[in-house]
Amino acid sequence: MTEKNTVPRHVAVIMDGNGRWAQKRGLSRINGHIEGAKNVPAVAEYLFSAGVGIVTLYAFSEENFSRPAGEVNGIFERILRFAAEYPSACKGRVRLFFSGDLEGVGEELRLACLAAEEKTRQYAPYALNVLVNYGGRSEILRAARMLSGKEVTAESFRS
Ligand code: FPP
């Protein structure tokens, strides 16, 4: 009998619980984000070594903009640092993709994300997607805009 490969090809991670983790330890929420961000390379490495090919991180939703400015800036700083450092750290094996509305996250972070994508364009065999400023409603709106001129039906989203 052939053994079935039960390792998923793609694993998506919702980066939740940072605030609670920090508060339980008497730390500020931003410390939770800092520690969460530090763990990203190790978590990705673990998944890749287990046979997962694609990892997606839900890092920052459009709803997260309702958080205090200091917390939002702190999260952006971690994503910026990750975009700057990970392309060298991943030793040519992990292609980075940043998805979401990058127009809305400030020029510095947007450019850092694009530069990281560019730098890792030829990297293989793994892929790491980081979702920044993502949201269901805006995704649908964006898709509808792309299809503008055409009739938008449920079928439009299936192809
Ligand atoms: C949710 O935790 C987490 C976030 C809103 C931000 C997560 C993103 C980062 C830490 C940035 C780093 C990302 C990369 C790719 C390096 P929460 O504050 O809602 O926690 P809680 O549920 O305990 O309140």
Side-chain angles (χ1 to χ4, degrees):
M1 202 172 93
T2 49
E3 243 182 57
K4 212 172 156 204
N5 181 5
T6 52
V7 178
R9 194 174 126 66
H10 185 172
V11 170
V13 179
I14 297 175
M15 299 185 67
D16 206 5
N18 292 342
R20 274 166 290 165
W21 182 92
Q23 278 166 345
K24 254 193 204 165
R25 288 159 180 79
L27 303 167
S28 68
R29 296 179 61 82
I30 194 62
N31 284 104
H33 297 311
I34 291 171
E35 291 307 312
K38 271 192 208 161
N39 280 313
V40 164
V43 170
E45 193 51 47
Y46 171 78
L47 291 169
F48 293 142
S49 67
V52 172
I54 307 166
V55 174
T56 293
L57 302 174
Y58 286 85
F60 187 89
S61 73
E62 57 192 14
E63 287 80 20
N64 290 151
F65 268 117
S66 62
R67 293 174 182 236
E71 186 175 346
V72 171
N73 289 336
I75 293 170
F76 282 4
E77 211 177 289
R78 305 332 289 181
I79 299 173
L80 185 86
R81 183 179 286 217
F82 174 80
E85 294 175 353
Y86 193 71
S88 305
C90 73
K91 302 188 180 90
R93 298 174 309 136
V94 187
R95 183 168 176 186
L96 285 179
F97 296 90
F98 290 86
S99 304
D101 183 7
L102 292 181
E103 299 292 332
V105 299
E107 198 61 356
E108 194 185 8
L109 180 54
R110 187 179 76 84
L111 291 176
C113 293
L114 296 179
E117 284 189 337
E118 188 52 40
K119 191 164 178 195
T120 61
R121 189 171 292 277
Q122 306 294 335
Y123 290 7
Y126 307 114
L128 178 52
N129 301 308
V130 184
L131 271 61
V132 185
N133 198 14
Y134 67 89
R137 284 178 195 194
S138 56
E139 292 304 315
I140 291 170
L141 191 64
R142 200 143 32 130
R145 284 196 178 126
M146 277 165 62
L147 293 164
S148 62
K150 298 177 198 164
E151 192 188 355
V152 180
T153 65
E155 204 51 46
S156 314
F157 295 94
R158 292 208 180 97
S159 53

